[in-house]
Protein backbone atom coordinates (compact mmCIF):
# COMPACT_ATOMS: atom_id res chain seq x y z
CA UNK A 1 0.00 0.00 0.00
CA UNK A 2 1.48 3.37 -1.05
CA UNK A 3 1.57 6.27 1.43
CA UNK A 4 -0.61 8.47 -0.80
CA UNK A 5 -3.41 5.99 -0.27
CA UNK A 6 -3.36 6.41 3.54
CA UNK A 7 -6.16 8.57 5.00
CA UNK A 8 -5.78 7.95 8.74
CA UNK A 9 -3.50 6.32 11.33
CA UNK A 10 -4.32 5.71 14.99
CA UNK A 11 -3.40 3.18 17.73
CA UNK A 12 -4.80 -0.32 17.89
CA UNK A 13 -6.99 -1.16 20.86
CA UNK A 14 -5.61 -3.61 23.42
CA UNK A 15 -8.17 -6.20 22.31
CA UNK A 16 -7.04 -5.86 18.69
CA UNK A 17 -3.40 -6.20 19.73
CA UNK A 18 -4.14 -9.39 21.62
CA UNK A 19 -5.99 -10.95 18.69
CA UNK A 20 -3.40 -9.96 16.08
CA UNK A 21 -0.41 -10.99 18.22
CA UNK A 22 -2.04 -14.38 18.87
CA UNK A 23 -2.44 -14.89 15.14
CA UNK A 24 1.15 -13.83 14.40
CA UNK A 25 2.41 -16.16 17.13
CA UNK A 26 0.53 -19.10 15.62
CA UNK A 27 0.11 -18.40 11.87
CA UNK A 28 -1.33 -21.87 11.29
CA UNK A 29 -3.91 -21.47 14.05
CA UNK A 30 -7.55 -20.67 13.39
CA UNK A 31 -8.40 -18.57 16.45
CA UNK A 32 -10.03 -15.24 15.50
CA UNK A 33 -10.78 -16.47 11.96
CA UNK A 34 -14.56 -16.05 12.04
CA UNK A 35 -16.87 -17.36 9.32
CA UNK A 36 -20.62 -16.78 8.95
CA UNK A 37 -23.10 -18.21 6.45
CA UNK A 38 -26.46 -16.63 5.55
CA UNK A 39 -29.30 -17.73 3.30
CA UNK A 40 -30.89 -14.91 1.29
CA UNK A 41 -33.20 -14.60 -1.71
CA UNK A 42 -31.21 -15.20 -4.89
CA UNK A 43 -28.75 -12.37 -5.57
CA UNK A 44 -29.73 -11.58 -9.16
CA UNK A 45 -27.60 -8.46 -9.65
CA UNK A 46 -24.06 -9.44 -8.75
CA UNK A 47 -22.67 -6.14 -10.08
CA UNK A 48 -24.98 -4.17 -7.76
CA UNK A 49 -24.15 -6.45 -4.86
CA UNK A 50 -20.43 -5.78 -5.38
CA UNK A 51 -21.21 -2.07 -5.64
CA UNK A 52 -23.06 -2.35 -2.32
CA UNK A 53 -19.88 -3.74 -0.72
CA UNK A 54 -17.85 -0.83 -2.10
CA UNK A 55 -20.33 1.69 -0.70
CA UNK A 56 -20.19 -0.08 2.68
CA UNK A 57 -16.41 0.34 2.59
CA UNK A 58 -16.83 4.04 1.85
CA UNK A 59 -18.77 4.73 5.06
CA UNK A 60 -16.97 2.19 7.31
CA UNK A 61 -13.21 2.84 7.58
CA UNK A 62 -12.65 -0.47 9.40
CA UNK A 63 -13.44 -2.33 6.15
CA UNK A 64 -10.46 -0.48 4.60
CA UNK A 65 -8.18 -0.92 7.62
CA UNK A 66 -4.90 -2.80 7.96
CA UNK A 67 -2.54 -3.23 10.92
CA UNK A 68 1.12 -2.25 11.11
CA UNK A 69 2.90 -3.77 14.09
CA UNK A 70 6.50 -2.50 13.90
CA UNK A 71 7.04 0.61 11.75
CA UNK A 72 5.51 3.31 13.97
CA UNK A 73 6.99 2.58 17.39
CA UNK A 74 3.69 1.12 18.54
CA UNK A 75 1.10 -1.08 16.80
CA UNK A 76 -1.28 1.05 14.73
CA UNK A 77 -4.23 0.62 12.41
CA UNK A 78 -4.06 2.33 9.07
CA UNK A 79 -7.13 3.36 7.07
CA UNK A 80 -6.62 3.41 3.29
CA UNK A 81 -8.58 5.39 0.72
CA UNK A 82 -8.89 2.90 -2.11
CA UNK A 83 -9.43 -0.73 -1.11
CA UNK A 84 -11.49 -3.09 -3.20
CA UNK A 85 -13.78 -5.82 -1.84
CA UNK A 86 -12.83 -9.47 -2.33
CA UNK A 87 -15.98 -11.09 -3.70
CA UNK A 88 -16.18 -14.55 -5.27
CA UNK A 89 -19.36 -15.84 -6.93
CA UNK A 90 -20.08 -19.52 -7.64
CA UNK A 91 -23.09 -21.25 -9.17
CA UNK A 92 -23.84 -24.55 -7.40
CA UNK A 93 -27.28 -25.20 -8.90
CA UNK A 94 -25.91 -28.20 -10.83
CA UNK A 95 -25.12 -29.99 -7.55
CA UNK A 96 -27.45 -31.92 -5.29
CA UNK A 97 -28.10 -30.48 -1.83
CA UNK A 98 -25.76 -33.06 -0.28
CA UNK A 99 -23.01 -32.24 -2.76
CA UNK A 100 -23.55 -28.51 -2.14
CA UNK A 101 -23.20 -29.11 1.58
CA UNK A 102 -19.97 -31.06 1.11
CA UNK A 103 -18.55 -28.51 -1.32
CA UNK A 104 -19.26 -25.45 0.85
CA UNK A 105 -18.12 -27.17 4.05
CA UNK A 106 -14.78 -28.09 2.41
CA UNK A 107 -14.55 -24.57 0.94
CA UNK A 108 -14.92 -23.06 4.42
CA UNK A 109 -12.27 -25.39 5.84
CA UNK A 110 -9.82 -24.46 3.07
CA UNK A 111 -10.49 -20.74 3.54
CA UNK A 112 -9.61 -21.00 7.24
CA UNK A 113 -6.10 -22.00 6.21
CA UNK A 114 -5.56 -18.86 4.11
CA UNK A 115 -3.79 -16.31 6.34
CA UNK A 116 -4.58 -12.61 6.41
CA UNK A 117 -1.80 -10.20 5.49
CA UNK A 118 -2.44 -7.61 8.20
CA UNK A 119 -0.81 -4.69 6.39
CA UNK A 120 -2.74 -5.36 3.17
CA UNK A 121 -6.51 -4.84 3.66
CA UNK A 122 -9.23 -5.85 3.36
CA UNK A 123 -9.06 -8.24 6.30
CA UNK A 124 -12.39 -9.75 5.24
CA UNK A 125 -13.75 -11.49 2.16
CA UNK A 126 -17.03 -12.82 0.86
CA UNK A 127 -18.29 -15.59 -1.40
CA UNK A 128 -21.79 -15.85 -2.87
CA UNK A 129 -23.10 -19.31 -3.76
CA UNK A 130 -26.24 -19.66 -5.89
CA UNK A 131 -27.90 -22.80 -4.48
CA UNK A 132 -31.18 -22.93 -6.43
CA UNK A 133 -33.41 -20.80 -8.63
CA UNK A 134 -34.73 -18.79 -5.68
CA UNK A 135 -31.97 -18.70 -3.08
CA UNK A 136 -28.36 -17.77 -2.56
CA UNK A 137 -26.01 -18.35 0.32
CA UNK A 138 -23.37 -15.80 1.11
CA UNK A 139 -20.37 -16.62 3.19
CA UNK A 140 -18.54 -13.86 5.07
CA UNK A 141 -15.20 -14.35 6.77
CA UNK A 142 -13.07 -11.84 8.62
CA UNK A 143 -10.40 -11.50 11.25
CA UNK A 144 -12.03 -10.84 14.60
CA UNK A 145 -9.76 -7.80 15.19
CA UNK A 146 -11.88 -5.74 12.77
CA UNK A 147 -15.43 -6.90 13.56
CA UNK A 148 -17.42 -8.23 16.51
CA UNK A 149 -20.78 -10.02 16.58
CA UNK A 150 -22.88 -6.83 16.80
CA UNK A 151 -20.92 -5.35 13.88
CA UNK A 152 -21.50 -8.47 11.80
CA UNK A 153 -25.24 -8.16 12.37
CA UNK A 154 -25.12 -4.46 11.56
CA UNK A 155 -23.03 -5.18 8.45
CA UNK A 156 -25.69 -7.55 7.13
CA UNK A 157 -28.50 -5.13 7.96
CA UNK A 158 -26.85 -2.21 6.21
CA UNK A 159 -25.63 -4.28 3.25
CA UNK A 160 -29.16 -5.57 2.64
CA UNK A 161 -30.55 -2.03 2.75
CA UNK A 162 -27.89 -0.62 0.41
CA UNK A 163 -28.38 -3.44 -2.11
CA UNK A 164 -32.16 -2.95 -2.08
CA UNK A 165 -31.75 0.81 -2.66
CA UNK A 166 -29.34 0.30 -5.55
CA UNK A 167 -31.79 -1.99 -7.35
CA UNK A 168 -34.30 0.87 -7.55
CA UNK A 169 -31.82 3.76 -7.58
CA UNK A 170 -28.34 2.99 -9.01
CA UNK A 171 -27.16 6.47 -7.97
CA UNK A 172 -27.88 5.86 -4.27
CA UNK A 173 -25.18 6.79 -1.75
CA UNK A 174 -25.53 6.03 1.99
CA UNK A 175 -24.93 8.91 4.39
CA UNK A 176 -21.61 8.97 6.28
CA UNK A 177 -21.70 8.12 10.00
CA UNK A 178 -20.98 10.55 12.84
CA UNK A 179 -18.75 8.12 14.77
CA UNK A 180 -15.95 5.62 14.06
CA UNK A 181 -13.60 3.14 15.69
CA UNK A 182 -11.25 6.05 16.35
CA UNK A 183 -13.68 7.47 18.94
CA UNK A 184 -13.64 4.24 20.93
CA UNK A 185 -9.82 4.16 20.86
CA UNK A 186 -9.75 7.70 22.28
CA UNK A 187 -12.04 6.67 25.17
CA UNK A 188 -9.88 3.62 25.91
CA UNK A 189 -6.72 5.76 26.08
CA UNK A 190 -8.38 8.21 28.50
CA UNK A 191 -9.54 5.38 30.76
CA UNK A 192 -5.98 4.07 31.14
CA UNK A 193 -5.00 7.21 33.07
CA UNK A 194 -8.12 7.31 35.27
CA UNK A 195 -6.80 7.01 38.85
CA UNK A 196 -10.18 5.93 40.25
CA UNK A 197 -10.42 3.09 37.74
CA UNK A 198 -6.86 1.99 38.48
CA UNK A 199 -7.59 1.85 42.22
CA UNK A 200 -10.87 0.02 41.61
CA UNK A 201 -9.11 -2.87 39.86
CA UNK A 202 -6.34 -3.00 42.44
CA UNK A 203 -8.91 -3.36 45.22
CA UNK A 204 -11.20 -5.65 43.27
CA UNK A 205 -8.66 -8.28 42.27
CA UNK A 206 -6.41 -8.46 45.33
CA UNK A 207 -5.87 -12.16 46.18
CA UNK A 208 -8.44 -13.31 43.62
CA UNK A 209 -9.27 -17.00 43.18
CA UNK A 210 -9.39 -18.87 39.89
CA UNK A 211 -12.09 -21.55 39.69
CA UNK A 212 -10.79 -25.12 39.62
CA UNK A 213 -13.54 -27.09 37.88
CA UNK A 214 -11.77 -28.45 34.78
CA UNK A 215 -9.45 -31.35 34.11
CA UNK A 216 -6.47 -31.07 31.74
CA UNK A 217 -8.28 -33.13 29.09
CA UNK A 218 -9.36 -31.30 25.91
CA UNK A 219 -13.00 -32.13 25.20
CA UNK A 220 -15.53 -30.19 23.13
CA UNK A 221 -19.15 -30.33 24.27
CA UNK A 222 -22.08 -28.16 23.28
CA UNK A 223 -25.62 -27.69 24.59
CA UNK A 224 -28.48 -25.55 23.27
CA UNK A 225 -31.60 -25.20 25.41
CA UNK A 226 -34.48 -22.71 25.50
CA UNK A 227 -36.40 -21.28 28.41
CA UNK A 228 -40.12 -21.76 28.08
CA UNK A 229 -41.66 -18.69 26.39
CA UNK A 230 -43.91 -18.04 29.40
CA UNK A 231 -40.92 -18.28 31.72
CA UNK A 232 -39.02 -15.84 29.48
CA UNK A 233 -41.87 -13.32 29.58
CA UNK A 234 -42.41 -13.74 33.32
CA UNK A 235 -38.69 -13.34 34.00
CA UNK A 236 -38.58 -10.02 32.16
CA UNK A 237 -41.72 -8.75 33.90
CA UNK A 238 -40.77 -9.97 37.39
CA UNK A 239 -37.31 -8.44 37.08
CA UNK A 240 -38.75 -5.09 36.02
CA UNK A 241 -41.25 -5.17 38.91
CA UNK A 242 -38.36 -5.69 41.35
CA UNK A 243 -36.24 -2.94 39.80
CA UNK A 244 -33.79 -5.46 38.35
CA UNK A 245 -32.40 -6.13 34.89
CA UNK A 246 -33.42 -9.62 33.77
CA UNK A 247 -29.98 -9.89 32.14
CA UNK A 248 -28.39 -9.55 35.57
CA UNK A 249 -30.79 -12.12 37.04
CA UNK A 250 -29.66 -14.60 34.38
CA UNK A 251 -26.02 -13.81 35.12
CA UNK A 252 -26.63 -14.15 38.85
CA UNK A 253 -28.21 -17.58 38.33
CA UNK A 254 -25.24 -18.71 36.23
CA UNK A 255 -22.54 -17.63 38.68
CA UNK A 256 -24.40 -19.16 41.63
CA UNK A 257 -24.34 -22.49 39.81
CA UNK A 258 -20.56 -22.06 39.46
CA UNK A 259 -20.42 -21.56 43.24
CA UNK A 260 -22.39 -24.77 43.78
CA UNK A 261 -20.20 -26.85 41.47
CA UNK A 262 -16.89 -25.47 42.70
CA UNK A 263 -17.81 -25.14 46.41
CA UNK A 264 -16.14 -21.70 46.25
CA UNK A 265 -17.80 -18.45 47.29
CA UNK A 266 -15.03 -16.09 46.11
CA UNK A 267 -13.94 -16.42 42.48
CA UNK A 268 -13.55 -14.64 39.14
CA UNK A 269 -15.72 -15.20 36.08
CA UNK A 270 -15.19 -13.44 32.75
CA UNK A 271 -17.98 -11.34 31.29
CA UNK A 272 -18.25 -9.81 27.82
CA UNK A 273 -18.82 -6.07 27.63
CA UNK A 274 -19.57 -3.69 24.76
CA UNK A 275 -17.36 -0.60 24.45
CA UNK A 276 -19.15 1.19 21.62
CA UNK A 277 -18.84 4.95 22.14
CA UNK A 278 -21.98 6.59 23.48
CA UNK A 279 -22.40 8.84 20.45
CA UNK A 280 -24.81 9.25 17.55
CA UNK A 281 -24.75 6.35 15.05
CA UNK A 282 -22.76 4.15 17.47
CA UNK A 283 -25.21 1.28 16.87
CA UNK A 284 -24.37 1.39 13.15
CA UNK A 285 -20.59 1.78 13.23
CA UNK A 286 -18.58 -1.32 12.37
CA UNK A 287 -15.54 -2.40 14.37
CA UNK A 288 -14.33 -4.62 17.18
CA UNK A 289 -15.87 -3.13 20.32
CA UNK A 290 -15.91 -6.32 22.33
CA UNK A 291 -14.22 -6.36 25.73
CA UNK A 292 -13.93 -9.04 28.39
CA UNK A 293 -13.71 -8.17 32.07
CA UNK A 294 -12.73 -10.22 35.13
CA UNK A 295 -15.83 -10.07 37.36
CA UNK A 296 -14.99 -11.07 40.92
CA UNK A 297 -17.86 -12.55 42.92
CA UNK A 298 -17.78 -12.69 46.71
CA UNK A 299 -20.91 -14.62 47.58
CA UNK A 300 -20.26 -15.55 51.21
CA UNK A 301 -22.27 -12.55 52.41
CA UNK A 302 -25.40 -14.03 50.82
CA UNK A 303 -25.32 -17.35 52.72
CA UNK A 304 -28.23 -16.30 54.97
CA UNK A 305 -29.87 -13.90 52.47
CA UNK A 306 -32.96 -14.40 50.34
CA UNK A 307 -32.73 -14.97 46.60
CA UNK A 308 -34.18 -11.50 45.98
CA UNK A 309 -31.47 -9.92 48.15
CA UNK A 310 -28.86 -11.94 46.27
CA UNK A 311 -30.05 -10.72 42.86
CA UNK A 312 -30.16 -7.13 44.12
CA UNK A 313 -26.54 -7.58 45.20
CA UNK A 314 -25.62 -8.83 41.73
CA UNK A 315 -27.46 -5.86 40.20
CA UNK A 316 -25.42 -3.42 42.29
CA UNK A 317 -22.16 -5.15 41.37
CA UNK A 318 -22.98 -5.04 37.65
CA UNK A 319 -23.78 -1.33 37.75
CA UNK A 320 -20.37 -0.63 39.24
CA UNK A 321 -18.68 -2.88 36.69
CA UNK A 322 -20.46 -1.10 33.83
CA UNK A 323 -18.80 2.16 34.87
CA UNK A 324 -15.39 0.48 34.50
CA UNK A 325 -16.01 -1.53 31.32
CA UNK A 326 -13.62 0.47 29.14
CA UNK A 327 -10.69 -1.02 31.04
CA UNK A 328 -9.04 -3.67 28.89
CA UNK A 329 -7.91 -7.06 30.12
CA UNK A 330 -4.34 -6.14 29.19
CA UNK A 331 -4.46 -2.94 31.22
CA UNK A 332 -6.13 -4.66 34.20
CA UNK A 333 -3.37 -7.29 34.15
CA UNK A 334 -0.73 -4.56 34.39
CA UNK A 335 -2.58 -2.87 37.26
CA UNK A 336 -2.85 -6.12 39.22
CA UNK A 337 0.69 -7.22 38.34
CA UNK A 338 -0.31 -10.27 36.30
CA UNK A 339 1.55 -11.16 33.13
CA UNK A 340 -0.63 -11.59 30.04
CA UNK A 341 0.52 -14.73 28.24
CA UNK A 342 -1.16 -17.16 25.88
CA UNK A 343 -3.77 -17.93 28.57
CA UNK A 344 -6.12 -15.59 30.37
CA UNK A 345 -4.60 -14.78 33.79
CA UNK A 346 -7.93 -14.44 35.60
CA UNK A 347 -10.56 -16.90 34.40
CA UNK A 348 -11.40 -19.93 32.25
CA UNK A 349 -15.15 -19.23 32.03
CA UNK A 350 -16.69 -16.49 29.89
CA UNK A 351 -20.30 -15.26 30.04
CA UNK A 352 -21.83 -13.36 27.12
CA UNK A 353 -25.37 -11.99 26.84
CA UNK A 354 -26.02 -11.64 23.09
CA UNK A 355 -28.87 -9.31 22.16
CA UNK A 356 -27.90 -8.05 18.70
CA UNK A 357 -29.92 -10.61 16.73
CA UNK A 358 -32.86 -8.19 16.70
CA UNK A 359 -30.93 -6.36 13.98
CA UNK A 360 -31.58 -9.30 11.65
CA UNK A 361 -35.31 -8.59 11.74
CA UNK A 362 -34.57 -5.81 9.25
CA UNK A 363 -32.88 -8.24 6.85
CA UNK A 364 -34.40 -10.89 4.59
CA UNK A 365 -32.11 -13.66 5.86
CA UNK A 366 -33.57 -17.13 6.21
CA UNK A 367 -32.44 -20.63 7.05
CA UNK A 368 -35.23 -22.80 5.64
CA UNK A 369 -35.43 -26.50 6.44
CA UNK A 370 -35.00 -27.45 2.80
CA UNK A 371 -31.61 -25.75 2.67
CA UNK A 372 -28.14 -26.80 3.72
CA UNK A 373 -27.43 -27.28 7.41
CA UNK A 374 -24.18 -25.33 7.47
CA UNK A 375 -22.91 -23.75 10.68
CA UNK A 376 -20.91 -20.59 11.16
CA UNK A 377 -17.43 -21.03 12.61
CA UNK A 378 -15.71 -19.42 15.59
CA UNK A 379 -13.13 -20.79 18.03
CA UNK A 380 -13.62 -20.80 21.81
CA UNK A 381 -11.22 -18.58 23.75
CA UNK A 382 -12.06 -20.08 27.16
CA UNK A 383 -12.77 -23.51 28.65
CA UNK A 384 -16.48 -22.73 29.10
CA UNK A 385 -18.42 -20.21 27.03
CA UNK A 386 -21.93 -19.38 28.25
CA UNK A 387 -23.77 -17.51 25.51
CA UNK A 388 -27.26 -16.23 26.35
CA UNK A 389 -29.03 -15.48 23.08
CA UNK A 390 -31.80 -12.94 23.57
CA UNK A 391 -34.17 -12.07 20.71
CA UNK A 392 -37.30 -9.96 21.28
CA UNK A 393 -40.44 -12.07 21.11
CA UNK A 394 -38.58 -15.38 21.32
CA UNK A 395 -37.61 -17.63 24.24
CA UNK A 396 -34.18 -17.01 25.73
CA UNK A 397 -31.63 -19.54 24.47
CA UNK A 398 -28.72 -20.96 26.45
CA UNK A 399 -25.80 -21.92 24.21
CA UNK A 400 -23.12 -23.55 26.41
CA UNK A 401 -19.82 -24.82 25.02
CA UNK A 402 -16.75 -26.37 26.65
CA UNK A 403 -13.23 -26.91 25.33
CA UNK A 404 -12.00 -28.83 28.41
CA UNK A 405 -13.58 -31.70 30.29
CA UNK A 406 -15.25 -30.98 33.63
CA UNK A 407 -14.21 -32.72 36.78
CA UNK A 408 -16.29 -35.73 37.78
CA UNK A 409 -20.00 -35.08 38.13
CA UNK A 410 -20.18 -31.79 36.22
CA UNK A 411 -21.96 -31.44 32.88
CA UNK A 412 -23.52 -28.74 30.72
CA UNK A 413 -26.90 -30.38 31.26
CA UNK A 414 -26.47 -30.12 35.05
CA UNK A 415 -25.49 -26.44 34.77
CA UNK A 416 -28.56 -25.68 32.68
CA UNK A 417 -30.93 -27.57 34.99
CA UNK A 418 -29.64 -25.66 38.03
CA UNK A 419 -29.99 -22.32 36.21
CA UNK A 420 -33.61 -23.12 35.38
CA UNK A 421 -34.20 -24.14 39.01
CA UNK A 422 -32.87 -20.80 40.28
CA UNK A 423 -34.93 -18.84 37.76
CA UNK A 424 -38.01 -20.78 38.91
CA UNK A 425 -37.27 -19.88 42.55
CA UNK A 426 -36.88 -16.19 41.61
CA UNK A 427 -40.26 -16.22 39.87
CA UNK A 428 -42.21 -18.10 42.55
CA UNK A 429 -40.47 -17.71 45.91
CA UNK A 430 -37.92 -14.85 45.72
CA UNK A 431 -38.09 -14.38 49.51
CA UNK A 432 -36.90 -17.95 50.12
CA UNK A 433 -33.56 -18.03 51.92
CA UNK A 434 -30.71 -19.44 49.89
CA UNK A 435 -29.65 -21.61 52.85
CA UNK A 436 -33.09 -23.25 52.87
CA UNK A 437 -33.11 -24.07 49.14
CA UNK A 438 -32.90 -27.64 47.90
CA UNK A 439 -31.64 -28.35 44.39
CA UNK A 440 -32.51 -32.04 44.47
CA UNK A 441 -35.02 -33.38 41.97
CA UNK A 442 -37.84 -35.74 43.01
CA UNK A 443 -35.81 -38.70 41.78
CA UNK A 444 -32.81 -37.48 43.80
CA UNK A 445 -35.00 -37.21 46.92
CA UNK A 446 -36.35 -40.74 46.36
CA UNK A 447 -32.84 -42.08 45.88
CA UNK A 448 -31.61 -40.48 49.09
CA UNK A 449 -34.65 -41.77 50.97
CA UNK A 450 -33.92 -45.32 49.88
CA UNK A 451 -30.22 -44.95 50.74
CA UNK A 452 -31.07 -43.62 54.19
CA UNK A 453 -33.72 -46.26 55.01
CA UNK A 454 -31.22 -48.16 57.17
CA UNK A 455 -33.16 -48.55 60.43
CA UNK A 456 -32.79 -52.11 61.78
CA UNK A 457 -33.99 -53.52 65.13
CA UNK A 458 -31.19 -55.19 67.12
CA UNK A 459 -31.24 -57.36 70.25
CA UNK A 460 -29.48 -55.93 73.36
CA UNK A 461 -26.40 -58.04 72.55
CA UNK A 462 -23.10 -56.16 72.16
CA UNK A 463 -20.81 -56.43 69.16
CA UNK A 464 -18.50 -58.65 71.20
CA UNK A 465 -21.41 -60.95 72.06
CA UNK A 466 -22.31 -61.23 68.39
CA UNK A 467 -18.68 -61.89 67.43
CA UNK A 468 -18.36 -64.69 70.00
CA UNK A 469 -21.47 -66.32 68.57
CA UNK A 470 -19.81 -66.27 65.14
CA UNK A 471 -16.65 -67.82 66.58
CA UNK A 472 -18.70 -70.58 68.22
CA UNK A 473 -20.47 -71.41 64.97
CA UNK A 474 -17.70 -70.79 62.42
CA UNK A 475 -14.44 -71.07 64.38
CA UNK A 476 -12.67 -73.02 61.63
CA UNK A 477 -13.81 -70.73 58.78
CA UNK A 478 -11.44 -68.15 57.23
CA UNK A 479 -11.90 -64.73 58.84
CA UNK A 480 -8.97 -62.81 57.28
CA UNK A 481 -6.86 -63.57 54.20
CA UNK A 482 -3.90 -61.29 53.44
CA UNK A 483 -0.78 -61.82 51.28
CA UNK A 484 -1.21 -65.57 51.21
CA UNK A 485 -1.84 -65.99 54.97
CA UNK A 486 -5.21 -66.92 56.44
CA UNK A 487 -6.50 -66.53 60.00
CA UNK A 488 -9.49 -68.51 61.23
CA UNK A 489 -12.18 -66.92 63.42
CA UNK A 490 -10.97 -68.97 66.39
CA UNK A 491 -7.41 -67.72 65.85
CA UNK A 492 -8.56 -64.10 65.64
CA UNK A 493 -10.48 -64.59 68.89
CA UNK A 494 -7.38 -66.06 70.58
CA UNK A 495 -5.04 -63.32 69.35
CA UNK A 496 -7.53 -60.62 70.35
CA UNK A 497 -7.78 -62.03 73.87
CA UNK A 498 -3.99 -62.11 74.14
CA UNK A 499 -3.84 -58.41 73.15
CA UNK A 500 -6.47 -57.54 75.74
CA UNK A 501 -4.58 -59.37 78.49
CA UNK A 502 -1.33 -57.66 77.46
CA UNK A 503 -2.92 -54.19 77.63
CA UNK A 504 -4.41 -54.94 81.06
CA UNK A 505 -1.24 -56.42 82.54
CA UNK A 506 1.29 -54.06 80.96
CA UNK A 507 -0.58 -50.75 81.00
CA UNK A 508 -3.36 -51.20 83.53
CA UNK A 509 -6.10 -50.60 80.96
CA UNK A 510 -9.56 -50.80 82.50
CA UNK A 511 -13.12 -50.99 81.19
CA UNK A 512 -14.11 -47.72 79.46
CA UNK A 513 -10.54 -46.61 78.64
CA UNK A 514 -9.84 -45.42 75.07
CA UNK A 515 -7.23 -47.39 73.09
CA UNK A 516 -5.51 -45.81 70.09
CA UNK A 517 -4.96 -48.14 67.14
CA UNK A 518 -2.40 -47.43 64.38
Amino acid sequence: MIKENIVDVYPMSDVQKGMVFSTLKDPQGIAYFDQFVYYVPKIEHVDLFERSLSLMMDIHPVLRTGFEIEKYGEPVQIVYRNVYPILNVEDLTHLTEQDQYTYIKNYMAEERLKPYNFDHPPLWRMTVFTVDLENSLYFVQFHHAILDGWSMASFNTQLSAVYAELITNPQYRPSPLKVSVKDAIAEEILEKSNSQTIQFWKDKLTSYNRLNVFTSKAEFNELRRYLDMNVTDNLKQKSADQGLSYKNVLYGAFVYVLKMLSLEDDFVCGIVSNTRPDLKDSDKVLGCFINTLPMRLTLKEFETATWLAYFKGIEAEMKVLKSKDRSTLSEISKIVGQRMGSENPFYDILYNHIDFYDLYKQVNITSKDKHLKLKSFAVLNSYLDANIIDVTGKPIEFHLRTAMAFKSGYSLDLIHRFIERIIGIFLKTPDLKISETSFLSNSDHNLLSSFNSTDVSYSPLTVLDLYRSVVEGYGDEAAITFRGSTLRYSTVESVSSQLCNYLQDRFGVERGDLIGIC
Side-chain angles (χ1 to χ4, degrees), residues 486-497:
T486 299
L487 294 178
R488 295 183 177 87
Y489 278 104
S490 57
T491 305
V492 173
E493 167 71 1
S494 175
V495 172
S496 298
S497 296

Side-chain angles (χ1 to χ4, degrees), residues 222-228 231-232 250 253-258 260-261 351 384-389 395-402 406 409-424 439:
E222 185 174 21
L223 178 142
R224 287 183 181 270
R225 296 281 173 79
Y226 291 87
L227 278 183
D228 179 83
V231 174
T232 297
L250 288 168
F254 174 73
V255 295
Y256 197 85
V257 173
L258 296 183
M260 291 168 56
L261 296 184
Y351 181 92
L384 167 60
D385 277 3
N387 295 306
I388 311 304
I389 301 172
I396 290 172
E397 177 185 359
F398 294 87
H399 182 197
L400 309 178
R401 301 184 297 173
T402 57
F406 283 115
Y410 306 160
S411 70
L412 295 179
D413 181 71
L414 181 67
I415 290 174
H416 179 261
R417 284 194 287 114
F418 281 166
I419 291 173
E420 283 199 320
R421 169 72 173 135
I422 293 173
I423 292 172
F439 286 89

Side-chain angles (χ1 to χ4, degrees), residues 235-236 239-240 244-251 353 390 396:
L235 172 64
K236 294 180 178 181
S239 300
L244 301 172
S245 163
Y246 70 92
K247 296 179 182 180
N248 293 338
V249 172
L250 288 168
Y251 179 69
H353 193 109
D390 184 7
I396 290 172

